[in-house]
């Protein structure tokens, strides 16, 4: 019986399993050949050109799909966070309060803070979910025949993904080296605001009215996102308390 491995062309020598093979397969699966680095750089320096080219299809083959881009950014952010997670956890616990306000069940605040704390450790996931209210807000404020809902979601995934990549590459090393926990919180929030506004101004133009619309869209998306998280955590805390 022929001993040639399945999948090898007739008469060809099968390739021995190697890390290069794994990397090649991963690149193929994640479509990294479409230019993850190219997509990231262009979103930083020429986001308007990238977004318009991706929306109208003239340059879509050059760039990573926005959903894949966002997912890979979330993965990068989680990996970066893991490098200082234990120390950050200790700092966060030191900030917690155990005082229960009047009218609240005993231990409610402690249980609520523990659950909020668990959510904050998954900030990459919650940031990725903020793409939904961001997309809807931007679409409602800039809706036109030239900007539809699908394009709004692509914009939001690119914005959130870029924020997560910048945080993982630029902020996380500083946090890891200096244990700058307050800096981590403020810089993370600032990037959540700055990145979508930068992309939006390059896409829609730098008029004052567009600045105001983008500030409103980002503000609404952050408010809605955090309110959903807070209400969800309160509901979960009440339901699981005995």
């Amino acid at each position: 019986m022929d001993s040639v491995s399945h999948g090898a062309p007739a008469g060809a020598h099968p390739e021995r399993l190697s890390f290069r093979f794994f990397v090649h397969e991963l690149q193929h699966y994640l479509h990294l050949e479409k230019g993850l680095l190219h997509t990231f750089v262009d979103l930083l320096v020429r986001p308007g050109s990238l977004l318009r080219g991706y929306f109208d299809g003239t340059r879509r083959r050059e760039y990573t799909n926005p959903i894949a881009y966002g997912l890979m950014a979330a993965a990068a952010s989680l990996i970066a966070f893991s490098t200082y997670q234990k120390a950050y956890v200790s700092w966060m616990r030191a900030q917690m309060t155990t005082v229960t306000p009047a009218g609240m069940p005993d231990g409610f605040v402690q249980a609520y803070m523990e659950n909020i704390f668990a959510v904050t450790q998954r900030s990459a996931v919650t940031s990725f979910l903020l793409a939904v209210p961001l997309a809807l807000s931007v679409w409602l404020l800039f809706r036109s025949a030239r900007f539809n809902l699908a394009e709004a979601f692509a914009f939001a995934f690119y914005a959130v993904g870029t924020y997560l990549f910048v945080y993982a590459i630029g902020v996380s090393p500083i946090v890891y080296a200096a244990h700058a926990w307050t800096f981590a919180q403020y810089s993370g929030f600032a990037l959540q605001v700055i990145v979508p506004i930068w992309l939006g101004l390059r896409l829609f133009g730098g008029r004052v009215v567009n600045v105001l619309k983008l500030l409103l869209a980002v503000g609404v998306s952050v408010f809605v996102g955090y309110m959903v998280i807070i209400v969800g955590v309160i509901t979960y805390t009440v339901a699981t308390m005995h």
Side-chain angles (χ1 to χ4, degrees), residues 21 23 26 33 36 45 67 71 84 90 113 119 124-125 134 155 162 167 174 178 188 190 218 221:
F21 172 82
V23 172
L26 182 63
E33 70 277 7
L36 177 62
V45 300
I67 297 177
L71 289 172
Y84 56 83
S90 298
M113 292 299 292
V119 171
V125 177
L134 177 60
F155 169 88
T162 301
Y167 193 92
I174 299 174
V218 173
S221 66

Side-chain angles (χ1 to χ4, degrees), residues 144-159:
S144 69
R146 298 171 57 189
F147 187 68
N148 61 33
L149 185 58
E151 292 166 345
F153 270 93
F155 169 88
F157 284 125
Y158 275 138

Side-chain angles (χ1 to χ4, degrees), residues 38-78:
H38 180 45
T39 304
F40 174 65
V41 171
D42 275 13
L43 282 168
L44 288 180
V45 300
R46 52 183 73 86
S49 175
L50 183 154
L51 291 168
R52 285 188 291 270
Y54 194 86
F55 292 166
D56 63 26
T58 56
R59 303 183 64 187
R60 197 169 297 159
R61 292 179 178 273
E62 298 179 31
Y63 300 114
T64 304
N65 176 283
I67 297 177
Y69 179 83
L71 289 172
M72 285 185 280
S77 181
L78 288 171

Side-chain angles (χ1 to χ4, degrees), residues 13 15 39 42 58 61-63 77 79 89 91 95 107 123-124 133 144 159 171 175 177 189 199 212 221 224 233:
H13 293 288
E15 180 182 356
T39 304
D42 275 13
T58 56
R61 292 179 178 273
E62 298 179 31
Y63 300 114
S77 181
I79 292 170
V89 167
W91 180 81
Q95 313 306 309
S123 59
S144 69
V171 176
V175 176
F189 181 77
L199 267 62
L212 296 176
S221 66
V224 170
V233 171

Side-chain angles (χ1 to χ4, degrees), residues 50-175:
L50 183 154
L51 291 168
R52 285 188 291 270
Y54 194 86
F55 292 166
D56 63 26
T58 56
R59 303 183 64 187
R60 197 169 297 159
R61 292 179 178 273
E62 298 179 31
Y63 300 114
T64 304
N65 176 283
I67 297 177
Y69 179 83
L71 289 172
M72 285 185 280
S77 181
L78 288 171
I79 292 170
F81 176 71
S82 69
T83 62
Y84 56 83
Q85 181 175 1
K86 289 184 178 179
Y88 183 72
V89 167
S90 298
W91 180 81
M92 283 289 293
R93 289 190 182 282
Q95 313 306 309
M96 290 183 178
T97 176
T98 57
V99 178
T100 302
M104 290 288 184
D106 290 340
F108 172 82
V109 171
Q110 180 64 34
Y112 170 78
M113 292 299 292
E114 288 289 341
N115 291 330
I116 281 287
F117 174 69
V119 171
T120 62
Q121 294 188 68
R122 296 164 177 81
S123 59
V125 177
T126 56
S127 296
F128 188 74
L129 293 177
L130 287 177
V132 175
L134 177 60
L136 294 174
S137 300
V138 172
W139 176 64
L140 288 172
L141 290 169
F142 291 93
R143 181 173 48 175
S144 69
R146 298 171 57 189
F147 187 68
N148 61 33
L149 185 58
E151 292 166 345
F153 270 93
F155 169 88
F157 284 125
Y158 275 138
V160 171
T162 301
Y163 146 67
L164 291 173
F165 271 132
V166 170
Y167 193 92
I169 296 169
V171 176
S172 291
I174 299 174
V175 176

